[in-house]
Each structure stands twice: as C-alpha cells, then as structure tokens.
Amino acid sequence: MAGPAQHPIPVRRGHLREAAERIERATGMRVEIIGGTLVMSPSPSGKHAGIVIDLRDAIRPGLSTAYEAYENVSIPMPDDPDDYSTPDLTIGPRAFKEDDGWLLDADAIALAVEVISPSERLKGINEKTAWYAAARVPRLLQIDPRTGTWSLFTRPSEDEYKAVTHGKYGDPVPLPTVLGGNLPTSDLPQYGPPPVR
C-alpha cells in the first residue's frame, strides 16, 4: 500500500476512470478510485516491491490449481466499475490469465494483499480496509513493514470486517489449504529509518 494522496482535479462521476487513466499515463503513478475519490500512490520503494515479490513467491507453490497470484489487477466495487482498488497482490482464478480485462470481480478474489508504505496514514489504511469489506473481498492481508506486523481480515460486511487476526513477522498467516495453508513471514524485511532531511 503506497501512501495515497487525493488528486485535486475535479471530475464528474462517470468520468473518474478516464481521469485516472490520464493521470497514470502522465505521471506513472498508480491511481485508484476509492469511494468516488481519485487516490494516487507513488511508485513503491525497492523494499516494498521486494516484499510483494517475496509474498508472491511464497504463496504460489501452495495454491490450488484453480488460483494464481497477480500483481496490478484491479478490483471494482460491485455494480460500480468506476470505483476500484488495485492491491499489491491479488489471488484469483487462474483462468483470469486469459482475460483481456484488468478488473477482477470481488466475488472471484480469494485474497487481496496490501503492503503498507512508510508514509501511509492510519485514516487511509482504515478507509481502504473498509472499502475492501464493502466490496466483499473475503480476505484482506495487510503487511506492515514499518512495525514488522501483519493483519488478516475476514468475514466482510457493509463497512468492516467482522474478524481479524494480528501477528508479527515470524508468525505464519493462517490461510486456507486452497491458498497454501500457513504463509511464512519470518523472512520479510522491515523498512529502515526514514532518511534525514
């Protein structure tokens, strides 16, 4: 999860995706539409990107043949493709590899993974978590390299997850067998101290 920033360009509802695509082309930043607001994320650091790769490599061997691990796949809010999020890692149907689209419906997602960036604010994290719950993504795994901790959210409802399991690096994430079972976290790195300005 990169530190989000709301984009100041006013756009009418229905034109948000077009605006997001223009901003992505112009800036190279990842743009999501969360609850009708354009949210821009800077390119991830090497360590952030490395954590996503490490998680993907750890989870892929244990996945059932029905699933695959994807990066840069977006999840729309049901019934509103102009309201979408792009997790760092998405576990979804293997058949999506043959799809020309870039949106994967929440009911097809087995797990969304967000890696929190050093600049992430609690308000933004909470808003994003509530968005995934409202979209009915069944499992959301947040990895926090700032503190060396993780949280697995399950049982989504209208605006929150009804169950959450917290752990620290070294504690395995309890995933179902079809997702490979316990996901190891002991080798995940933490962010270093912020640079001195």
Side-chain angles (χ1 to χ4, degrees), residues 25-134:
R25 282 193 303 272
T27 66
M29 297 179 87
R30 181 173 81 176
V31 180
E32 300 167 290
I33 304 171
I34 304 295
T37 301
L38 291 175
V39 179
M40 293 177 28
S41 302
S43 297
S45 67
K47 194 171 278 185
H48 182 208
I51 291 168
V52 174
I53 292 168
D54 290 347
L55 289 167
R56 184 197 63 208
D57 291 350
I59 202 169
R60 281 191 80 218
L63 289 176
S64 84
T65 57
Y67 293 111
E68 184 55 272
Y70 299 101
E71 294 179 50
N72 301 314
V73 169
S74 297
I75 303 169
M77 183 64 72
D79 303 321
D80 189 355
D82 279 340
D83 191 352
Y84 63 89
S85 180
T86 307
D88 289 304
L89 189 65
T90 305
I91 309 304
R94 186 174 297 274
F96 187 68
K97 290 167 67 169
E98 305 302 321
D99 199 304
D100 288 328
W102 56 279
L103 292 173
L104 183 56
D105 289 337
D107 61 3
I109 303 294
L111 174 70
V113 179
E114 290 279 4
V115 177
I116 295 172
S117 73
S119 61
E120 195 81 36
R121 299 282 184 253
L122 182 60
K123 182 179 185 289
I125 295 169
N126 290 340
E127 287 173 353
K128 184 77 80 78
T129 303
W131 187 95
Y132 281 110

Side-chain angles (χ1 to χ4, degrees), residues 163-179:
V164 61
T165 303
H166 299 288
K168 61 185 185 309
Y169 282 8
D171 299 335
V173 179
L175 296 178
T177 305
V178 295
L179 299 181

